[in-house]
Amino acid sequence: QVQLVESGGDLVQPGGSLRLSCAASGSIFKINTMAWYRQAPAKQREWVAGISSGGSTNYADSVKGRFTISRDNAKNTVYLQMNSLKPEDTAVYLCNVDIVPYGFVKVHSYWGQGTQVTVSS
């Protein structure tokens, strides 16, 4: 069994910063790509950023230059550093991690429960 636990969401003023964390635990053999998505009310879920097992990163145009994704493989954790936050960044942020559990050969995709980020003055 694999679990993802997210933390770090909060209410922040425009221009502020937050750091989200997502820790994977359980029967993990290998972790491949780790990513962050977000979903605002009445909007479709949107991919925000991803990081490969080798450390290559990609970002949505809307967050490029403001957000930084990173990972700590020893802790099975992915982070999202968010700077220069804007009201339009308000959403529930969810991590998505591709994991090969022990006893399996195929990759399984797991989702965190989500953490609320609200950017407002």
Side-chain angles (χ1 to χ4, degrees):
Q1 198 131 3
V2 173
Q3 284 188 323
L4 300 183
V5 178
E6 300 171 9
S7 61
D10 206 344
L11 169 64
V12 64
Q13 291 188 343
S17 297
L18 281 176
R19 189 193 195 205
L20 307 183
S21 300
C22 171
S25 63
S27 184
I28 298 170
F29 174 66
K30 183 182 178 184
I31 295 180
N32 292 343
T33 299
M34 308 178 88
W36 288 95
Y37 287 73
R38 65 187 181 185
Q39 187 158 20
K43 290 189 177 180
Q44 286 191 333
R45 188 169 294 183
E46 173 190 23
W47 174 81
V48 174
I51 184 167
S52 70
S53 56
S56 297
T57 59
N58 284 286
Y59 298 93
D61 288 343
S62 59
V63 307
K64 203 171 291 183
R66 300 188 297 121
F67 291 9
T68 302
I69 188 171
S70 61
R71 62 192 285 169
D72 184 334
N73 291 327
K75 295 182 179 179
N76 291 340
T77 299
V78 60
Y79 305 96
L80 186 68
Q81 177 67 43
M82 304 186 294
N83 298 329
S84 303
L85 282 161
K86 305 175 182 179
E88 52 263 42
D89 294 319
T90 295
V92 174
Y93 283 71
L94 306 103
C95 63
N96 174 250
V97 181
D98 290 337
I99 294 172
V100 179
Y102 276 109
F104 292 84
V105 294
K106 290 185 178 180
V107 174
H108 290 63
S109 183
Y110 294 89
W111 289 90
Q113 81 285 359
T115 186
Q116 177 69 47
V117 172
T118 303
V119 185
S120 175
S121 54

